[in-house]
Amino acid sequence: MQNANAPESSLIGEEYEVEVGPVAHGGHCIARTEEGRVLFVRHALPGEKIIARVTEGEETSRFLRADAITILDASKDRVEAPCPFAGPGKCGGCDWQHAKPGAQRRLKGEVIAEQLKRLAGLTPEEAGWDGTVMPAEGDKLPPGEVPQWRTRVQYAVDAEGHAGLRKHRSHEVEIIDHCMIAAQGVSELGIEKRTWEGMASVEAIAASGSNDRQVILAPRPGARLPLVELDKPVSVMRVDEHDGGIHRVHGRAFVRERADGRTHRVGSGGFWQVHPKAADTLMLAVMQGLTPRKGETALDLYCGVGLFAGALADRVGDQGAVLGIESGKRAVEDARHNLADFPRVRIEQGKVESVLPRTGITEVDLIVLDPPRAGAGKQTVHHLAGLGARRIAYVACDPAALARDLAYFAERGYRVRTLRAFDLFPMTHHVECVAILEPVKKDV
C-alpha cells in the first residue's frame, strides 16, 4: 500500500511482515524485510512478529523508518500504552509507553552496552559497569501508572491555538488534554484547557525546589501576547521573535531549584535537569566518584547555573579552588549569583574549547564535564587529558557521544574506573550516565 501523495520512488505506506531484532539507539528496534531492507521500527519490542508500515524512506534509502501497526506475536514485556496519545502516528514524546518499566531500563542498558562496544571498544566489565540502569527514587510504580517526572514541558500550538505535542519527526501537533509524564506542577497549570491564539509554543516550568511556576510564550510573527490566566499563579516570559532572547513580561524572571542542600536561581528558561530527582542523583554520583579532598583544584565545564561547581566548592573548602565555564550569558549570571558565597569559585563565559586554553591552566586535580548532547569532542578531550587530573567525572545524556569521548580519553591515557546509568527520562529512550575516569597507571 503506497501513499498517493508520495514521490514514485517513495516507500511510505508500504507494509512488511517482519520479526523484530535488537533495540537501537534512538527509541526504535531493528528489523529486516525478506528482501534485506533495514527497518528502524518504533512501537515494537525485540523478538516480536509484527506488521510494520513505512513512515520515511525511498527505494534508494540505506534504511527505512517504520511503525509497528499490528502485533502478530507480542513480547512478554509488552503492555497496553497507558497514555491515549501514545502510538503510531501520535505524540512523539514517549518511545516506550508499550513496554514494562523494567523492560524499558533493560533496553536502555542494551543500548549503552552496544554503544560502548561499538564506539569505545569497551565491555560493561571494562567500563566498571554492572549493566543496570537505575530508576530514580519514587519512580517504581504499579503497572499502568506512569511517573509524573517532567517538570518542563514545551507545548506546540496549532493554527487554531490548541496546545499539544509534536508528532515523531514532524511539525504536526497532536492535540492533548493531559500529558501523563508531566509533573503535577505542570499539569495543574491547565495549559491544555485554554487556547493560545497567535502563539507558536508555550513552555511550562514547575520548579521542583520551590512553588515557582513559569510559562514562556513564543509568539508567531506579528502576534500579540495573550492575557495569561491559568489555574495557578505563574510568572510569564516571552521569546523575542527577532533575536530569540527570552524577556520578562511579569513576575520573576527565574525559578528557584534545590539541590545539594542549596537553592539555585535558574533564569530565562535556562538549563536544569527535568526530573525532580535528577540534580541530586547526578550530583551525588559525581561526588562519590571524584571523592574531592580539601585544598584540591577543580574544573566544572559546561557548568550551567553552577550545580557541580557549588558541590565541588563545598567539598574542596577555602583552600581549594573551582573554575566553571559556561557559554550561556544568563546561566553565567545565575551561576555567579548562586555561588557568590564561595570566594574561591570563578565562572567564565564562553565555549569550553575557546575559554579553557586562554585560562593558562596547566594542571588540575578534578574535572567535571556535562557537555551537550553532541559530546565534548576530540579537541577538548585531549586538552583535558593533558591537565593530569587524578579523576574526571563525565555526565552524559547521550550514550553514543559518551562512548566516542571515552575512546578519545583512552587515546590520551585515561581509563573508565566506574560507570553508572540512571533512568531519569522514563517512557522515553533517553538515559543519563556518569562515568568516572582516572589515568592509567604506567609500569615503572
Short mmCIF file of all heavy atoms in Angstrom, two decimals, residues 272-306:
data_model
loop_
_atom_site.label_atom_id
_atom_site.label_comp_id
_atom_site.label_asym_id
_atom_site.label_seq_id
_atom_site.Cartn_x
_atom_site.Cartn_y
_atom_site.Cartn_z
N TRP A 272 18.12 23.22 33.54
CA TRP A 272 18.11 22.50 34.82
C TRP A 272 17.58 21.11 34.52
O TRP A 272 16.73 20.95 33.65
CB TRP A 272 17.23 23.21 35.85
CG TRP A 272 17.30 22.60 37.22
CD1 TRP A 272 16.40 21.74 37.78
CD2 TRP A 272 18.32 22.80 38.21
NE1 TRP A 272 16.79 21.39 39.05
CE2 TRP A 272 17.97 22.03 39.34
CE3 TRP A 272 19.49 23.56 38.25
CZ2 TRP A 272 18.75 22.00 40.50
CZ3 TRP A 272 20.28 23.52 39.39
CH2 TRP A 272 19.90 22.75 40.51
N GLN A 273 18.07 20.12 35.23
CA GLN A 273 17.61 18.76 34.97
C GLN A 273 16.09 18.67 35.10
O GLN A 273 15.51 19.24 36.02
CB GLN A 273 18.28 17.78 35.94
CG GLN A 273 19.75 17.57 35.68
CD GLN A 273 20.02 16.75 34.43
OE1 GLN A 273 19.14 16.06 33.92
NE2 GLN A 273 21.25 16.81 33.93
N VAL A 274 15.45 17.94 34.19
CA VAL A 274 13.99 17.94 34.10
C VAL A 274 13.34 17.06 35.16
O VAL A 274 12.29 17.39 35.69
CB VAL A 274 13.55 17.51 32.68
CG1 VAL A 274 12.04 17.47 32.57
CG2 VAL A 274 14.12 18.46 31.64
N HIS A 275 13.95 15.94 35.48
CA HIS A 275 13.39 15.05 36.51
C HIS A 275 13.66 15.67 37.88
O HIS A 275 14.78 16.12 38.17
CB HIS A 275 14.05 13.67 36.41
CG HIS A 275 13.34 12.61 37.18
ND1 HIS A 275 13.22 12.62 38.56
CD2 HIS A 275 12.70 11.48 36.76
CE1 HIS A 275 12.56 11.55 38.96
NE2 HIS A 275 12.22 10.85 37.90
N PRO A 276 12.66 15.71 38.77
CA PRO A 276 12.86 16.37 40.06
C PRO A 276 13.95 15.75 40.93
O PRO A 276 14.51 16.43 41.79
CB PRO A 276 11.48 16.27 40.74
CG PRO A 276 10.71 15.26 39.98
CD PRO A 276 11.26 15.25 38.59
N LYS A 277 14.27 14.48 40.70
CA LYS A 277 15.33 13.83 41.48
C LYS A 277 16.68 13.85 40.77
O LYS A 277 17.69 13.39 41.33
CB LYS A 277 14.95 12.37 41.77
CG LYS A 277 13.65 12.19 42.54
CD LYS A 277 13.78 12.67 43.96
CE LYS A 277 12.51 12.37 44.75
NZ LYS A 277 12.57 12.89 46.13
N ALA A 278 16.73 14.35 39.54
CA ALA A 278 17.93 14.21 38.72
C ALA A 278 19.13 14.98 39.26
O ALA A 278 20.25 14.47 39.29
CB ALA A 278 17.64 14.62 37.28
N ALA A 279 18.92 16.24 39.64
CA ALA A 279 20.05 17.06 40.05
C ALA A 279 20.79 16.43 41.23
O ALA A 279 22.02 16.30 41.22
CB ALA A 279 19.58 18.48 40.39
N ASP A 280 20.05 16.01 42.26
CA ASP A 280 20.69 15.40 43.42
C ASP A 280 21.27 14.04 43.08
O ASP A 280 22.35 13.66 43.57
CB ASP A 280 19.70 15.29 44.58
CG ASP A 280 19.68 16.54 45.45
OD1 ASP A 280 20.75 17.13 45.68
OD2 ASP A 280 18.58 16.94 45.89
N THR A 281 20.57 13.26 42.25
CA THR A 281 21.07 11.93 41.86
C THR A 281 22.42 12.04 41.16
O THR A 281 23.37 11.32 41.48
CB THR A 281 20.05 11.23 40.94
OG1 THR A 281 18.83 11.03 41.64
CG2 THR A 281 20.58 9.89 40.45
N LEU A 282 22.50 12.94 40.19
CA LEU A 282 23.73 13.09 39.42
C LEU A 282 24.84 13.73 40.26
O LEU A 282 26.01 13.33 40.18
CB LEU A 282 23.47 13.92 38.16
CG LEU A 282 22.50 13.26 37.17
CD1 LEU A 282 22.18 14.23 36.03
CD2 LEU A 282 23.08 11.96 36.61
N MET A 283 24.47 14.73 41.06
CA MET A 283 25.47 15.38 41.92
C MET A 283 26.10 14.37 42.86
O MET A 283 27.33 14.32 43.02
CB MET A 283 24.81 16.52 42.69
CG MET A 283 25.73 17.31 43.61
SD MET A 283 26.07 16.50 45.20
CE MET A 283 24.40 16.26 45.82
N LEU A 284 25.27 13.52 43.46
CA LEU A 284 25.78 12.52 44.40
C LEU A 284 26.68 11.51 43.68
O LEU A 284 27.75 11.15 44.19
CB LEU A 284 24.61 11.81 45.07
CG LEU A 284 24.96 10.91 46.26
CD1 LEU A 284 25.61 11.72 47.37
CD2 LEU A 284 23.69 10.22 46.78
N ALA A 285 26.28 11.07 42.50
CA ALA A 285 27.10 10.12 41.74
C ALA A 285 28.45 10.73 41.38
O ALA A 285 29.49 10.05 41.45
CB ALA A 285 26.36 9.68 40.48
N VAL A 286 28.45 12.00 41.02
CA VAL A 286 29.71 12.68 40.65
C VAL A 286 30.61 12.83 41.87
O VAL A 286 31.81 12.53 41.82
CB VAL A 286 29.41 14.05 40.01
CG1 VAL A 286 30.67 14.90 39.94
CG2 VAL A 286 28.82 13.86 38.62
N MET A 287 30.05 13.28 42.99
CA MET A 287 30.88 13.49 44.18
C MET A 287 31.40 12.16 44.74
O MET A 287 32.54 12.08 45.19
CB MET A 287 30.08 14.25 45.24
CG MET A 287 29.73 15.68 44.85
SD MET A 287 31.17 16.70 44.41
CE MET A 287 30.71 17.19 42.74
N GLN A 288 30.56 11.12 44.73
CA GLN A 288 31.03 9.81 45.19
C GLN A 288 32.16 9.29 44.31
O GLN A 288 33.09 8.64 44.80
CB GLN A 288 29.87 8.81 45.20
CG GLN A 288 28.85 9.06 46.31
CD GLN A 288 27.64 8.15 46.20
OE1 GLN A 288 27.34 7.60 45.14
NE2 GLN A 288 26.91 7.98 47.30
N GLY A 289 32.07 9.57 43.01
CA GLY A 289 33.10 9.10 42.10
C GLY A 289 34.40 9.87 42.19
O GLY A 289 35.48 9.30 42.09
N LEU A 290 34.30 11.18 42.41
CA LEU A 290 35.50 12.02 42.45
C LEU A 290 36.19 12.02 43.82
O LEU A 290 37.40 12.22 43.90
CB LEU A 290 35.15 13.47 42.11
CG LEU A 290 34.71 13.77 40.67
CD1 LEU A 290 34.41 15.25 40.52
CD2 LEU A 290 35.79 13.35 39.67
N THR A 291 35.43 11.81 44.89
CA THR A 291 35.94 11.93 46.27
C THR A 291 36.80 13.17 46.45
O THR A 291 38.00 13.07 46.71
CB THR A 291 36.73 10.66 46.70
OG1 THR A 291 37.87 10.50 45.84
CG2 THR A 291 35.85 9.43 46.64
N PRO A 292 36.22 14.36 46.31
CA PRO A 292 37.02 15.60 46.44
C PRO A 292 37.67 15.70 47.82
O PRO A 292 37.09 15.26 48.84
CB PRO A 292 35.97 16.71 46.25
CG PRO A 292 34.82 16.06 45.57
CD PRO A 292 34.80 14.65 46.06
N ARG A 293 38.86 16.29 47.83
CA ARG A 293 39.60 16.47 49.09
C ARG A 293 39.81 17.96 49.34
O ARG A 293 39.88 18.76 48.40
CB ARG A 293 40.96 15.77 48.99
CG ARG A 293 40.86 14.28 48.68
CD ARG A 293 42.20 13.74 48.24
NE ARG A 293 42.11 12.34 47.79
CZ ARG A 293 43.04 11.74 47.08
NH1 ARG A 293 44.14 12.40 46.71
NH2 ARG A 293 42.90 10.47 46.71
N LYS A 294 39.93 18.30 50.60
CA LYS A 294 40.19 19.69 50.96
C LYS A 294 41.44 20.20 50.27
O LYS A 294 42.46 19.51 50.21
CB LYS A 294 40.36 19.83 52.48
CG LYS A 294 39.12 19.46 53.29
CD LYS A 294 37.97 20.43 53.03
CE LYS A 294 36.77 20.10 53.92
NZ LYS A 294 35.61 20.98 53.62
N GLY A 295 41.34 21.41 49.72
CA GLY A 295 42.50 22.05 49.12
C GLY A 295 42.72 21.72 47.65
O GLY A 295 43.65 22.25 47.03
N GLU A 296 41.87 20.87 47.05
CA GLU A 296 42.07 20.50 45.65
C GLU A 296 41.52 21.58 44.71
O GLU A 296 40.67 22.40 45.08
CB GLU A 296 41.41 19.16 45.35
CG GLU A 296 42.14 17.98 45.98
CD GLU A 296 41.69 16.64 45.44
OE1 GLU A 296 40.47 16.41 45.38
OE2 GLU A 296 42.56 15.81 45.09
N THR A 297 42.01 21.54 43.48
CA THR A 297 41.52 22.43 42.43
C THR A 297 40.66 21.63 41.46
O THR A 297 40.93 20.45 41.21
CB THR A 297 42.68 23.08 41.66
OG1 THR A 297 43.52 22.04 41.12
CG2 THR A 297 43.51 23.97 42.58
N ALA A 298 39.63 22.28 40.92
CA ALA A 298 38.67 21.55 40.08
C ALA A 298 38.15 22.44 38.96
O ALA A 298 38.06 23.67 39.09
CB ALA A 298 37.51 21.04 40.93
N LEU A 299 37.78 21.78 37.87
CA LEU A 299 37.09 22.44 36.75
C LEU A 299 35.68 21.89 36.66
O LEU A 299 35.45 20.69 36.82
CB LEU A 299 37.80 22.14 35.42
CG LEU A 299 39.19 22.70 35.19
CD1 LEU A 299 39.74 22.19 33.85
CD2 LEU A 299 39.16 24.23 35.20
N ASP A 300 34.70 22.78 36.39
CA ASP A 300 33.34 22.37 36.07
C ASP A 300 33.02 22.94 34.70
O ASP A 300 32.81 24.15 34.56
CB ASP A 300 32.36 22.91 37.13
CG ASP A 300 30.91 22.50 36.84
OD1 ASP A 300 30.69 21.64 35.96
OD2 ASP A 300 30.00 23.05 37.50
N LEU A 301 33.01 22.08 33.70
CA LEU A 301 32.85 22.52 32.32
C LEU A 301 31.42 22.31 31.84
O LEU A 301 30.80 21.30 32.17
CB LEU A 301 33.83 21.76 31.42
CG LEU A 301 35.29 21.80 31.89
CD1 LEU A 301 36.18 21.00 30.95
CD2 LEU A 301 35.78 23.24 32.01
N TYR A 302 30.92 23.27 31.04
CA TYR A 302 29.50 23.32 30.65
C TYR A 302 28.69 23.40 31.95
O TYR A 302 27.76 22.62 32.18
CB TYR A 302 29.10 22.09 29.83
CG TYR A 302 30.11 21.68 28.78
CD1 TYR A 302 31.10 20.73 29.06
CD2 TYR A 302 30.09 22.26 27.50
CE1 TYR A 302 32.02 20.36 28.11
CE2 TYR A 302 31.01 21.88 26.54
CZ TYR A 302 31.98 20.93 26.84
OH TYR A 302 32.91 20.56 25.89
N CYS A 303 29.03 24.36 32.81
CA CYS A 303 28.62 24.32 34.21
C CYS A 303 27.20 24.79 34.46
O CYS A 303 26.71 24.69 35.59
CB CYS A 303 29.59 25.12 35.07
SG CYS A 303 29.51 26.91 34.85
N GLY A 304 26.51 25.34 33.44
CA GLY A 304 25.14 25.78 33.66
C GLY A 304 25.06 26.81 34.77
O GLY A 304 25.85 27.75 34.82
N VAL A 305 24.12 26.61 35.69
CA VAL A 305 23.94 27.58 36.78
C VAL A 305 24.74 27.22 38.02
O VAL A 305 24.55 27.79 39.08
CB VAL A 305 22.45 27.74 37.14
CG1 VAL A 305 21.66 28.22 35.94
CG2 VAL A 305 21.86 26.44 37.70
N GLY A 306 25.67 26.25 37.90
CA GLY A 306 26.64 26.02 38.96
C GLY A 306 26.36 24.86 39.89
O GLY A 306 26.91 24.81 40.99
#
